[in-house]
Amino acid sequence: MNSNEIRKSFLDFFDSKKHLIVSSAPMVVKNDPTLMFTNAGMNQFKDIFLGNTPAKQRRIANTQKCLRVSGKHNDLEEVGHDTYHHTMFEMLGNWSFGDYFKKEAIDWGWEYLTQILELPKDRLYATYFEGSKEEGLEADSEALGLWKSHLAERQIIPGSRKDNFWEMGETGPCGPCSEIHIDLRSVEEREKVDGRELVNTGNPLVIEIWNLVFMQFNRKASGELEPLPEKHVDTGMGFERLCMAMQGKTSNYDTDLFQPMIAYISTASGKIYGQDVKADIAMRVISDHIRAIAFAITDGQTPSNNGAGYVIRRILRRAVRYGYTFLGFKEPFLYQLVDILATQFGEIFPEIVIEKKMVAKIIREEESSFLRTLSTGISRFEKYASEHPAIEGQFAFELYDTYGFPIDLTRLLAQEIGKEVDMEGFNFCLDEQKNRSRAATKMDTGDWVELDSSDKSVYVGYDRVECLTRVIKYRKVSSKGEEWHQIVLSETPFYAESGGQVGDTGFLEKEGNRIEILDTKKENNLIIHFAKEIPEDLSGTYLARIKGARRDAIASNHSATHLMHAALRSVLGSHVAQKGSLVNDEHLRFDFTHYAKMTDEEIKAVENIVNTKIAQAISLEERREVPMEQAQKEGAVALFGEKYGDTVRIISFDREYSTELCGGIHVENTSRIRLFKIISEGAIANGIRRITAVTGVGALHFLEESHARLQEVKELLNNPNDVVKYVQELDEENKALKKEVEQLS
Ligand code: ALA
C-alpha cells in the first residue's frame, strides 16, 4: 500500500466504527500558553478532556500534523541522525470522549493492525502500565487482561511511568497508556535476540507504532493528579513508522513519504543516497525539515526572531547548514522542495497547494539571508583562526548565537585546519544563555481555587456589555516578576483576545467594591480575566461591565478591517490573503500577501472604497451557528491556520461586498466607523505587506495632527500662499547655491 492508501484505510476503519473524521488542526497553537506547536493529536481536544467544553461528537478520528521541537516532547537533535524520529510527523488518532474505553480501544487497535493491515501478529508487542507507588497508582490489570485475549503472554510487557503514563506537558490531561511495538528485524536477527528484550531500548527496528492513552487525570501545577470528570481514549499512531512497517522498509526515509524528496536532493547535489554517512544524514535532515518549515508557514507561523517563529527559523537554518556543509548547496535550495510537498500532500492537507507560492517565497528569502550570514560567519572564523592557536568557547558561542552556527559546524571547520574548540567554555556560555532565557520566560501558574465546580462559563458579549455573574474559579500566576490573578466567571461580556482583536478591559463590581479587569485572554476555550488586585472573598454576585468607549473603538477598527480587506481584494486582486491582523482601540494593523509596494493611487482607491462603504451606512449582518459547509458555499473568507468548528459565525456588511468567518466584535452599522485613513504601508517579509490604519476619533486626531504640522511648516516659511510651490523653489535655490559654493571653494 502506498502512504495515501494506508492513511485512508485508517480513516475508513474508524469511520466504520462510527467515528466522525475531522481534519488536522493547525500545527501552530494559539490559545494555550503551555504549548507553541501541536505536539499530539489530542491537543485540539484538550478543553474537552478537561471538561471545559462539551464534546459535540463522542467518537472522532483524524490525522494530525504534529511538531515535536520544543517543550516536553523535543526530538530535534535526533532527526536525520536516526531513521525514525521527525520534527513534523503525522499522528493518526482515534478518540472517545466519555464513550468507549479500554476494551474497544485495544480490540479495534488490534483489529486494524492485524486484520485490515495484516501485520504479522508474532512481530507485535504490547506494553501496559505497571503502576507507581509514588503516585499511588495501581498496575493497569484491565489492559493486561484485554491484551491476553490477543497476544501470548511473552508479547505483553509491563512498563514504567516514563513509558506508560502519558502526559501532554507539565500540567494537563494525562493517564496510563498501552503501547504497541513492532519488530521489523530480519528472521536471523530475531532468532538471535528475542524482540521482547528490545522493546523501549532505542533499537531502530523494534519500535513503538501506536500509543493508546486512557485519559483519566488532570496533572495540576502542584503535581497532584485530579480525576477528570469523565474517562476518555486518546490514541496516536506514528504514520511514518506505520508506512515503514507496511512497506517492508527499515527506515522511515525509505518510504514513499520521503523518497521523492530524497531523489530530488540527490539529483541536485549529485550525491547518491546510501553511499556516504554524512551526506545521508543531510538528505534526511532536509527532507524532514522542509515538511516542518512549509507546514508551519502554511499554518501561519513565519520564521522570525522570537518565540515560535524563532523555532521555525532554527529548523530552517539547521537544514540550510546541513545542505551547505555536506551537499554543497551554496545557493537557496530548500524552497524548490515545496512543489514536491504540494503534490504529495495536496489531497490530505490542501492548504499547502493553495499557499505554495507564498511558502516557497518566504523560504527562499530566509535561505538567502542565512547563506549570507553563513559565509560572513565563515570569514569571521577564518580570520579568528589565523590569529589564535585554538578556538575559544566564547568565540564558538558568538558564532552560534550571532551567526546561527551549530557547534558541530565550528568543530568541523576547526578540525579541517587542525585546531581544537574549547567545548567546556562553549557549554558554559550556552548554559548561561539558557538560564537567562529560562528566567525571562518562566511562568509560575498556581492551581485553580474553585468556588463552584458545577458551573460552565458562558460568553454573552455579542449581545451585552454588562451582566450579573459569579466567580467560578481563580488562580495566581507570575511571570517576568509580575503577579496576576486570573478569574473565570459564570457569565461574561468580556471578549477574550483572539483573531487579532485585543481582550476587553473593565470592572467587576459588588456592593461598592471594584475589581479592575486589565485584560482578557482565552486558554483552552476558557475566558480568563486578568486582575492585579482581588479581594480575599470572591463569593457572591458581581456586575461585570466592560469599558464601553474602548470597546466601541475596537469594534470600529475591526469592522474597518473587514471593509478594507474586501477593498484590497478589489483594488489589488484576489491573491490578497490575510496573513495577520491586530485590532485594538487605537488602530488596526493588517498583513496580507501582495508582491509590490502599493502606489499612492492604490492606497487612495482603497481609502475611497472604505469611506464610501462607511457613508452608505450598511447594517451589520451577523449570523451565528452557520454550518461550515454552507459558509463555504457562500464563499465566506476563511483563514488558513485557524481552527474552525462545524458551525461558524459569519459577519457580513452587504453579503455581496464583505462576508467573513469571524468571532470578533463589530459595529452595528458602518456609519459608526465615521472615517477611515491609512497611515502606513510597507513590507514585513518578502511578499507580505502591512497596512496600519485608523478610524473614527483616531482618524480625526491623525488628520488634525497632520494639519497642525502643515500649519507649523507654513509659519516657519512666513505663510506663503502656495506652500508646495514655495518649498519647491526653496529646494531648487538651495541646490543652485550648493553648486555655486562647491565651484567657488
Ligand atoms: N497522546 C498520545 C501520544 O501523543 C497518543 O502519544
Side-chain angles (χ1 to χ4, degrees):
M1 281 164 103
N2 68 32
S3 52
N4 283 329
E5 289 162 349
I6 297 171
R7 190 191 290 110
K8 185 168 180 306
S9 77
F10 178 87
L11 299 176
D12 287 349
F13 177 77
F14 281 100
D15 179 44
S16 79
K17 303 289 184 201
K18 311 242 169 334
H19 287 60
L20 176 75
I21 309 303
V22 302
S23 44
S24 170
M27 210 158 66
V28 182
V29 174
K30 294 206 173 117
N31 271 327
D32 186 346
T34 69
L35 264 192
M36 274 188 197
F37 299 105
T38 298
N39 67 7
M42 53 72 69
N43 295 163
Q44 66 165 317
F45 308 117
K46 184 177 164 188
D47 46 347
I48 302 179
F49 290 129
L50 291 176
N52 297 344
T53 310
K56 285 194 190 137
Q57 289 281 341
R58 288 166 95 72
R59 294 182 187 184
I60 278 184
N62 79 356
T63 181
Q64 171 66 47
K65 294 174 277 186
C66 296
L67 193 59
R68 288 194 170 174
V69 288
S70 57
K72 184 173 164 67
H73 299 278
N74 184 351
D75 297 328
L76 183 61
E77 292 310 318
E78 278 92 350
V79 175
H81 291 265
D82 72 19
T83 50
Y84 60 105
H85 277 103
H86 298 289
T87 53
M88 183 206 140
F89 62 99
E90 280 181 65
M91 188 182 279
L92 302 172
N94 57 291
W95 287 274
S96 149
F97 303 120
D99 188 36
Y100 61 83
F101 204 43
K102 295 181 188 176
K103 180 167 171 36
E104 290 83 349
I106 289 177
D107 288 351
W108 289 341
W110 185 252
E111 184 184 337
Y112 175 66
L113 292 179
T114 59
Q115 287 176 33
I116 307 290
L117 297 185
E118 297 179 353
L119 285 169
K121 294 178 185 166
D122 61 334
R123 285 175 178 261
L124 295 173
Y125 294 86
T127 64
Y128 68 96
F129 181 49
E130 68 187 5
S132 160
K133 277 212 184 85
E134 217 176 293
E135 301 263 21
L137 296 172
E138 306 268 305
D140 190 351
S141 50
E142 190 185 348
L144 169 65
L146 290 163
W147 279 120
K148 278 186 184 164
S149 65
H150 300 301
L151 284 163
E153 256 176 76
R154 58 161 280 282
Q155 287 166 276
I156 310 173
I157 305 162
S160 67
R161 207 180 111 186
K162 177 179 145 287
D163 290 320
N164 284 86
F165 193 87
W166 195 83
E167 310 201 31
M168 180 186 136
E170 298 311 324
T171 58
C174 55
C177 62
S178 189
E179 298 172 344
I180 302 171
H181 294 247
I182 190 161
D183 186 350
L184 299 172
R185 293 172 307 150
S186 64
V187 177
E188 298 83 68
E189 289 297 318
R190 289 172 59 218
E191 269 165 13
K192 271 190 243 157
V193 182
D194 188 351
R196 181 184 167 93
E197 305 301 321
L198 298 175
V199 167
N200 273 331
T201 61
N203 186 302
L205 293 179
V206 183
I207 57 169
E208 175 196 346
I209 47 171
W210 203 347
N211 188 11
L212 316 179
V213 184
F214 311 120
M215 289 289 185
Q216 295 170 56
F217 304 104
N218 177 23
R219 171 82 65 191
K220 302 192 7 170
S222 61
E224 202 186 319
L225 290 174
E226 167 189 70
L228 292 174
E230 284 187 295
K231 289 180 178 166
H232 314 277
V233 170
D234 156 36
T235 88
M237 175 144 57
F239 178 57
E240 295 74 11
R241 293 182 183 183
L242 181 66
C243 289
M244 156 165 80
M246 285 300 291
Q247 296 176 358
K249 307 290 184 196
T250 52
S251 157
N252 288 359
Y253 294 90
D254 292 344
T255 64
D256 67 336
L257 287 168
F258 292 93
Q259 274 303 307
M261 225 110 60
I262 289 185
Y264 189 90
I265 303 169
S266 172
T267 310
S269 63
K271 295 198 182 282
I272 294 170
Y273 184 66
Q275 291 196 340
D276 170 58
V277 176
K278 290 203 167 137
D280 290 355
I281 292 176
M283 290 193 209
R284 289 197 289 268
V285 164
I286 293 178
S287 62
D288 170 277
H289 289 13
I290 186 63
R291 302 171 9 131
I293 303 159
F295 281 106
I297 298 175
T298 313
D299 284 353
Q301 186 56 67
T302 40
S304 74
N305 245 346
N306 48 44
Y310 193 53
V311 174
I312 300 305
R313 177 165 282 171
R314 293 279 294 269
I315 298 174
L316 188 142
R317 290 181 166 186
R318 189 171 188 258
V320 171
R321 211 268 306 168
Y322 272 92
Y324 183 94
T325 313
F326 302 111
L327 301 172
F329 293 137
K330 308 284 183 225
E331 296 294 324
F333 166 75
L334 299 176
Y335 76 96
Q336 296 172 22
L337 299 169
V338 176
D339 255 339
I340 302 180
L341 277 185
T343 312
Q344 271 187 300
F345 293 97
E347 210 179 299
I348 186 80
F349 306 125
E351 58 273 21
I352 187 76
V353 178
I354 298 168
E355 303 270 338
K356 72 178 182 184
K357 246 173 92 183
M358 187 266 302
V359 172
K361 248 176 157 11
I362 292 175
I363 295 179
R364 185 180 185 157
E365 166 113 327
E366 278 283 316
E367 282 188 89
S368 306
S369 92
F370 182 56
L371 282 165
R372 278 196 298 277
T373 322
L374 208 54
S375 71
T376 321
I378 288 175
S379 310
R380 286 263 303 126
F381 175 86
E382 284 165 354
K383 180 159 184 300
Y384 180 95
S386 68
E387 295 164 357
H388 296 80
I391 313 299
E392 278 171 33
Q394 177 76 38
F395 178 73
F397 180 74
E398 185 193 320
L399 285 181
Y400 166 84
D401 201 33
T402 317
Y403 297 96
F405 271 41
I407 188 64
D408 47 339
L409 173 63
T410 309
R411 290 178 87 175
L412 196 80
L413 292 170
Q415 206 182 345
E416 281 167 6
I417 49 168
K419 293 201 173 174
E420 294 257 329
V421 179
D422 167 19
M423 286 306 292
E424 219 172 281
F426 171 80
N427 286 328
F428 178 79
C429 296
L430 191 66
D431 282 345
E432 273 208 322
Q433 188 202 41
K434 276 191 190 147
N435 290 339
R436 274 198 306 274
S437 68
R438 213 172 287 140
T441 55
K442 191 169 163 33
M443 177 158 135
D444 275 326
T445 309
D447 282 320
W448 290 110
V449 179
E450 307 225 7
L451 296 187
D452 185 349
S453 62
S454 64
D455 231 326
K456 295 271 174 278
S457 177
V458 181
Y459 178 62
V460 299
Y462 288 142
D463 304 308
R464 291 152 68 183
V465 292
E466 59 176 49
C467 69
L468 290 176
T469 186
R470 278 169 297 107
V471 174
I472 297 182
K473 57 184 180 179
Y474 64 96
R475 69 180 176 189
K476 199 151 71 176
V477 297
S478 56
S479 91
K480 297 183 191 157
E482 269 200 282
E483 263 195 10
W484 290 91
H485 298 278
Q486 300 185 331
I487 303 170
V488 178
L489 300 172
S490 60
E491 289 199 353
T492 179
F494 285 78
Y495 182 82
E497 176 184 317
S498 58
Q501 180 180 326
V502 293
D504 278 329
T505 60
F507 304 97
L508 298 179
E509 287 167 335
K510 184 180 77 174
E511 295 152 12
N513 293 321
R514 232 177 197 208
I515 303 173
E516 183 160 12
I517 302 299
L518 296 163
D519 200 1
T520 313
K521 289 182 193 289
K522 232 184 226 177
E523 188 178 316
N524 303 309
N525 261 358
L526 268 191
I527 298 176
I528 300 190
H529 308 77
F530 285 66
K532 277 274 170 205
E533 310 278 338
I534 56 169
E536 223 157 79
D537 179 13
L538 281 171
S539 61
T541 303
Y542 279 88
L543 176 72
R545 193 154 52 81
I546 57 175
K547 286 193 185 162
R550 180 175 178 273
R551 161 69 92 83
D552 289 345
I554 296 172
S556 167
N557 283 334
H558 202 157
S559 300
T561 303
H562 284 210
L563 300 183
M564 181 179 78
H565 191 183
L568 283 168
R569 286 168 78 97
S570 94
V571 172
L572 302 177
S574 58
H575 62 277
V576 167
Q578 174 171 342
K579 279 288 146 223
S581 161
L582 172 78
V583 176
N584 62 28
D585 53 332
E586 288 174 353
H587 59 249
L588 60 101
R589 205 179 70 193
F590 188 74
D591 302 338
F592 59 101
T593 40
H594 182 56
Y595 300 107
K597 180 162 179 56
M598 282 176 75
T599 62
D600 289 348
E601 287 71 36
E602 284 168 342
I603 291 180
K604 217 184 263 168
V606 169
E607 284 178 344
N608 278 342
I609 296 178
V610 175
N611 281 316
T612 307
K613 296 293 165 189
I614 293 172
Q616 285 170 349
I618 305 168
S619 293
L620 162 72
E621 187 190 0
E622 182 213 11
R623 285 173 290 162
R624 297 180 199 166
E625 307 275 318
V626 180
M628 186 63 182
E629 260 174 34
Q630 189 189 327
Q632 279 166 336
K633 238 192 266 154
E634 281 187 32
V637 178
L639 300 180
F640 281 111
E642 276 304 325
K643 183 176 134 192
Y644 294 107
D646 326 328
T647 61
V648 288
R649 180 168 176 261
I650 302 185
I651 295 295
S652 308
F653 290 104
D654 170 2
R655 281 196 201 185
E656 297 291 299
Y657 178 67
S658 161
T659 294
E660 296 198 24
L661 304 190
C662 180
I665 304 292
H666 289 273
V667 293
E668 269 165 24
N669 186 291
T670 58
S671 62
R672 299 292 297 266
I673 303 170
R674 295 164 64 196
L675 182 62
F676 169 80
K677 179 86 193 109
I678 291 178
I679 58 175
S680 72
E681 189 274 346
I684 53 163
N686 200 359
I688 301 187
R689 318 271 326 159
R690 168 171 292 176
I691 284 183
T692 308
V694 283
T695 66
V697 180
L700 281 178
H701 282 165
F702 177 78
L703 295 180
E704 271 166 15
E705 240 168 67
S706 310
H707 187 69
R709 301 289 291 170
L710 185 62
Q711 279 311 112
E712 267 177 55
V713 172
K714 274 189 179 169
E715 271 163 36
L716 281 175
L717 303 173
N718 286 329
N719 288 315
N721 281 342
D722 185 341
V723 66
V724 177
K725 196 161 157 244
Y726 189 88
V727 171
Q728 270 169 352
E729 283 166 7
L730 213 57
D731 190 42
E732 274 161 25
E733 191 184 327
N734 190 32
K735 276 186 195 139
L737 287 173
K738 244 191 200 154
K739 228 186 196 159
E740 204 178 321
V741 171
E742 258 167 37
Q743 280 166 357
L744 290 173
S745 62

